[in-house]
Amino acid sequence: MDLSTLLLFIPACFALNLAPGPNNLLSISNATRYGFRAACVAGLGRLLAFAGMIGLAASGLAVVLHASETLFYAIKVAGAVYLFWLAWQLWRAGPGEEGAAATGDGGFVRLARQEFLVAAGNPKAILIFTAFLPQFVDPGRPMMPQFALLGLLFLVFELVAIAIYAAIGTRLRQWFARPRGRLVFNRACAGLLSGAAVGLLLARRGSAS
Protein backbone atom coordinates (compact mmCIF):
# COMPACT_ATOMS: atom_id res chain seq x y z
CA MET A 1 0.00 0.00 0.00
CA ASP A 2 1.06 3.59 -0.54
CA LEU A 3 2.67 5.26 2.46
CA SER A 4 0.41 8.29 1.99
CA THR A 5 -2.66 6.06 2.30
CA LEU A 6 -1.36 4.52 5.52
CA LEU A 7 -0.56 7.95 6.94
CA LEU A 8 -4.20 8.92 6.37
CA PHE A 9 -5.53 5.63 7.72
CA ILE A 10 -3.56 5.49 10.98
CA PRO A 11 -4.88 8.65 12.72
CA ALA A 12 -8.43 8.09 11.45
CA CYS A 13 -8.36 4.48 12.63
CA PHE A 14 -6.93 5.30 16.05
CA ALA A 15 -9.56 7.97 16.59
CA LEU A 16 -12.20 5.35 15.81
CA ASN A 17 -10.60 2.92 18.28
CA LEU A 18 -10.57 5.54 21.04
CA ALA A 19 -14.20 6.59 20.55
CA PRO A 20 -16.29 5.92 23.67
CA GLY A 21 -18.59 2.94 23.32
CA PRO A 22 -19.95 -0.08 25.20
CA ASN A 23 -16.75 -2.11 24.92
CA ASN A 24 -14.48 0.71 26.06
CA LEU A 25 -16.84 1.38 28.94
CA LEU A 26 -16.65 -2.31 29.80
CA SER A 27 -12.83 -2.08 29.87
CA ILE A 28 -13.02 0.76 32.38
CA SER A 29 -15.51 -1.14 34.51
CA ASN A 30 -13.46 -4.36 34.42
CA ALA A 31 -10.24 -2.54 35.32
CA THR A 32 -11.93 -0.74 38.20
CA ARG A 33 -13.41 -3.96 39.56
CA TYR A 34 -10.72 -6.52 38.73
CA GLY A 35 -7.54 -4.68 37.74
CA PHE A 36 -5.56 -3.68 34.66
CA ARG A 37 -4.46 -7.20 33.65
CA ALA A 38 -7.96 -8.65 33.82
CA ALA A 39 -9.37 -5.82 31.68
CA CYS A 40 -6.67 -6.27 29.03
CA VAL A 41 -7.10 -10.05 28.89
CA ALA A 42 -10.87 -9.59 28.65
CA GLY A 43 -10.33 -7.27 25.69
CA LEU A 44 -9.06 -10.23 23.67
CA GLY A 45 -12.68 -11.31 23.35
CA ARG A 46 -13.45 -8.03 21.64
CA LEU A 47 -10.49 -8.45 19.28
CA LEU A 48 -11.76 -11.90 18.31
CA ALA A 49 -15.20 -10.49 17.45
CA PHE A 50 -13.71 -7.62 15.46
CA ALA A 51 -11.38 -9.98 13.59
CA GLY A 52 -14.41 -12.00 12.51
CA MET A 53 -16.19 -8.84 11.38
CA ILE A 54 -13.17 -7.72 9.36
CA GLY A 55 -13.12 -11.13 7.71
CA LEU A 56 -16.80 -10.82 6.83
CA ALA A 57 -16.26 -7.33 5.43
CA ALA A 58 -13.31 -8.50 3.33
CA SER A 59 -15.23 -11.48 1.96
CA GLY A 60 -18.28 -9.39 1.09
CA LEU A 61 -20.64 -11.32 3.37
CA ALA A 62 -21.43 -8.11 5.24
CA VAL A 63 -23.54 -7.12 2.23
CA VAL A 64 -26.15 -9.52 3.61
CA LEU A 65 -26.37 -7.46 6.79
CA HIS A 66 -26.67 -4.28 4.75
CA ALA A 67 -29.51 -5.77 2.72
CA SER A 68 -31.44 -7.48 5.50
CA GLU A 69 -33.27 -5.12 7.82
CA THR A 70 -34.64 -8.10 9.77
CA LEU A 71 -31.14 -9.48 10.46
CA PHE A 72 -29.86 -6.06 11.49
CA TYR A 73 -32.81 -5.60 13.84
CA ALA A 74 -32.42 -9.07 15.36
CA ILE A 75 -28.71 -8.56 16.08
CA LYS A 76 -29.14 -5.12 17.61
CA VAL A 77 -32.05 -6.26 19.83
CA ALA A 78 -29.98 -9.21 21.06
CA GLY A 79 -27.04 -6.88 21.70
CA ALA A 80 -29.21 -4.38 23.56
CA VAL A 81 -30.75 -7.10 25.73
CA TYR A 82 -27.27 -8.33 26.66
CA LEU A 83 -26.16 -4.80 27.56
CA PHE A 84 -29.23 -4.40 29.77
CA TRP A 85 -28.39 -7.70 31.45
CA LEU A 86 -24.80 -6.59 32.11
CA ALA A 87 -26.12 -3.29 33.49
CA TRP A 88 -28.46 -5.19 35.82
CA GLN A 89 -25.58 -7.37 37.02
CA LEU A 90 -23.48 -4.28 37.73
CA TRP A 91 -26.35 -2.56 39.51
CA ARG A 92 -26.84 -5.55 41.80
CA ALA A 93 -23.13 -6.20 42.39
CA GLY A 94 -22.05 -5.64 45.96
CA PRO A 95 -18.91 -3.55 46.58
CA GLY A 96 -17.05 -6.55 47.98
CA GLU A 97 -17.69 -9.02 45.14
CA GLU A 98 -14.75 -7.97 42.96
CA GLY A 99 -11.94 -9.76 44.76
CA ALA A 100 -12.04 -13.34 43.50
CA ALA A 101 -14.43 -12.93 40.59
CA ALA A 102 -11.67 -12.66 37.97
CA THR A 103 -9.11 -14.90 39.65
CA GLY A 104 -7.96 -17.83 37.53
CA ASP A 105 -8.60 -18.79 33.93
CA GLY A 106 -12.33 -19.23 34.44
CA GLY A 107 -12.77 -15.62 35.48
CA PHE A 108 -10.74 -14.32 32.55
CA VAL A 109 -12.72 -16.46 30.11
CA ARG A 110 -15.98 -15.08 31.51
CA LEU A 111 -14.82 -11.48 31.11
CA ALA A 112 -13.50 -12.15 27.59
CA ARG A 113 -16.83 -13.72 26.68
CA GLN A 114 -18.62 -10.58 27.86
CA GLU A 115 -16.37 -8.41 25.66
CA PHE A 116 -16.96 -10.73 22.70
CA LEU A 117 -20.74 -10.72 23.07
CA VAL A 118 -20.93 -6.94 23.51
CA ALA A 119 -18.90 -6.42 20.32
CA ALA A 120 -20.73 -9.12 18.36
CA GLY A 121 -24.10 -7.77 19.46
CA ASN A 122 -23.48 -4.40 17.83
CA PRO A 123 -24.37 -4.68 14.12
CA LYS A 124 -23.13 -1.12 13.53
CA ALA A 125 -19.58 -2.35 14.14
CA ILE A 126 -19.51 -4.50 11.02
CA LEU A 127 -21.18 -1.73 9.05
CA ILE A 128 -18.35 0.56 10.16
CA PHE A 129 -15.82 -1.93 8.82
CA THR A 130 -17.62 -2.15 5.48
CA ALA A 131 -17.85 1.65 5.24
CA PHE A 132 -14.46 2.60 6.70
CA LEU A 133 -11.84 0.09 5.57
CA PRO A 134 -12.74 0.09 1.83
CA GLN A 135 -12.02 3.83 1.67
CA PHE A 136 -8.31 3.01 2.00
CA VAL A 137 -8.23 0.06 -0.40
CA ASP A 138 -6.81 0.58 -3.88
CA PRO A 139 -9.12 -1.32 -6.29
CA GLY A 140 -6.27 -1.53 -8.79
CA ARG A 141 -4.25 -3.78 -6.48
CA PRO A 142 -4.98 -7.16 -4.86
CA MET A 143 -7.77 -6.59 -2.33
CA MET A 144 -7.22 -9.27 0.31
CA PRO A 145 -3.64 -8.28 1.26
CA GLN A 146 -4.79 -4.69 1.69
CA PHE A 147 -7.75 -5.72 3.85
CA ALA A 148 -5.44 -7.97 5.87
CA LEU A 149 -2.99 -5.13 6.55
CA LEU A 150 -5.70 -2.60 7.40
CA GLY A 151 -7.50 -5.12 9.59
CA LEU A 152 -4.30 -6.01 11.44
CA LEU A 153 -3.53 -2.34 12.07
CA PHE A 154 -7.08 -1.81 13.33
CA LEU A 155 -6.72 -4.68 15.81
CA VAL A 156 -3.33 -3.41 17.02
CA PHE A 157 -4.76 0.05 17.65
CA GLU A 158 -7.79 -1.51 19.32
CA LEU A 159 -5.45 -3.34 21.70
CA VAL A 160 -3.77 -0.01 22.51
CA ALA A 161 -7.20 1.53 23.15
CA ILE A 162 -8.08 -1.36 25.47
CA ALA A 163 -4.90 -0.70 27.46
CA ILE A 164 -5.62 3.04 27.63
CA TYR A 165 -9.17 2.56 28.91
CA ALA A 166 -7.99 -0.13 31.31
CA ALA A 167 -5.38 2.30 32.66
CA ILE A 168 -8.14 4.88 33.18
CA GLY A 169 -10.15 2.27 35.05
CA THR A 170 -7.13 1.42 37.20
CA ARG A 171 -6.77 5.06 38.19
CA LEU A 172 -10.47 5.26 38.97
CA ARG A 173 -10.06 2.16 41.13
CA GLN A 174 -7.89 4.22 43.45
CA TRP A 175 -10.49 6.97 43.62
CA PHE A 176 -13.31 4.54 44.40
CA ALA A 177 -11.37 2.43 46.90
CA ARG A 178 -14.03 2.55 49.60
CA PRO A 179 -17.03 0.19 49.39
CA ARG A 180 -19.46 3.08 49.08
CA GLY A 181 -17.44 4.54 46.21
CA ARG A 182 -17.29 1.20 44.39
CA LEU A 183 -21.03 0.82 44.74
CA VAL A 184 -21.63 4.28 43.27
CA PHE A 185 -19.21 3.58 40.41
CA ASN A 186 -20.83 0.22 39.59
CA ARG A 187 -24.24 1.81 39.42
CA ALA A 188 -22.96 4.70 37.32
CA CYS A 189 -21.49 2.19 34.84
CA ALA A 190 -24.79 0.31 34.91
CA GLY A 191 -26.58 3.50 33.92
CA LEU A 192 -24.12 4.17 31.09
CA LEU A 193 -24.44 0.62 29.76
CA SER A 194 -28.21 0.98 29.83
CA GLY A 195 -27.86 4.21 27.87
CA ALA A 196 -25.67 2.42 25.33
CA ALA A 197 -28.33 -0.28 25.02
CA VAL A 198 -31.00 2.33 24.33
CA GLY A 199 -28.72 3.97 21.75
CA LEU A 200 -28.22 0.61 20.07
CA LEU A 201 -31.97 0.04 19.90
CA LEU A 202 -32.45 3.46 18.29
CA ALA A 203 -29.62 2.94 15.78
CA ARG A 204 -30.41 2.74 12.11
CA ARG A 205 -28.35 1.06 9.43
CA GLY A 206 -27.83 4.29 7.57
CA SER A 207 -26.37 6.04 10.63
CA ALA A 208 -23.30 3.81 10.90
CA SER A 209 -20.09 5.82 10.53
Side-chain angles (χ1 to χ4, degrees):
M1 297 184 65
D2 293 334
L3 179 60
S4 58
T5 301
L6 286 178
L7 291 178
L8 288 174
F9 172 78
I10 288 172
C13 179
F14 196 44
L16 192 60
N17 294 122
L18 289 177
N23 279 105
N24 284 334
L25 176 60
L26 198 55
S27 286
I28 292 178
S29 176
N30 285 336
T32 304
R33 303 176 71 198
Y34 310 122
F36 178 84
R37 177 169 174 258
C40 289
V41 173
L44 297 178
R46 179 198 319 184
L47 296 183
L48 180 61
F50 285 164
M53 292 178 181
I54 292 170
L56 288 176
S59 66
L61 293 179
V63 174
V64 176
L65 182 58
H66 274 289
S68 175
E69 183 174 352
T70 301
L71 180 59
F72 180 89
Y73 181 78
I75 293 175
K76 79 172 185 176
V77 168
V81 169
Y82 186 68
L83 283 176
F84 279 127
W85 183 83
L86 286 180
W88 174 243
Q89 294 297 310
L90 267 179
W91 184 271
R92 294 176 62 248
E97 295 179 9
E98 288 85 356
T103 301
D105 295 339
F108 289 136
V109 170
R110 180 180 63 82
L111 295 179
R113 184 170 61 245
Q114 287 180 352
E115 283 266 13
F116 177 88
L117 292 175
V118 169
N122 184 358
K124 292 189 69 178
I126 192 170
L127 298 188
I128 288 175
F129 289 128
T130 57
F132 177 69
L133 294 185
Q135 296 181 35
F136 302 92
V137 172
D138 183 353
R141 298 181 179 183
M143 304 283 286
M144 293 306 294
Q146 295 181 77
F147 259 105
L149 176 59
L150 294 176
L152 178 61
L153 287 174
F154 183 94
L155 294 177
V156 170
F157 292 138
E158 187 68 24
L159 183 60
V160 174
I162 290 169
I164 290 173
Y165 276 94
I168 293 172
T170 304
R171 181 59 59 89
L172 290 175
R173 189 180 195 180
Q174 300 172 2
W175 294 353
F176 295 94
R178 296 182 178 181
R180 176 65 179 173
R182 289 201 298 271
L183 183 63
V184 170
F185 180 81
N186 287 347
R187 293 191 171 181
C189 284
L192 291 173
L193 284 175
S194 296
V198 172
L200 186 58
L201 286 174
L202 296 178
R204 297 182 178 180
R205 286 181 298 165
S207 61
S209 61

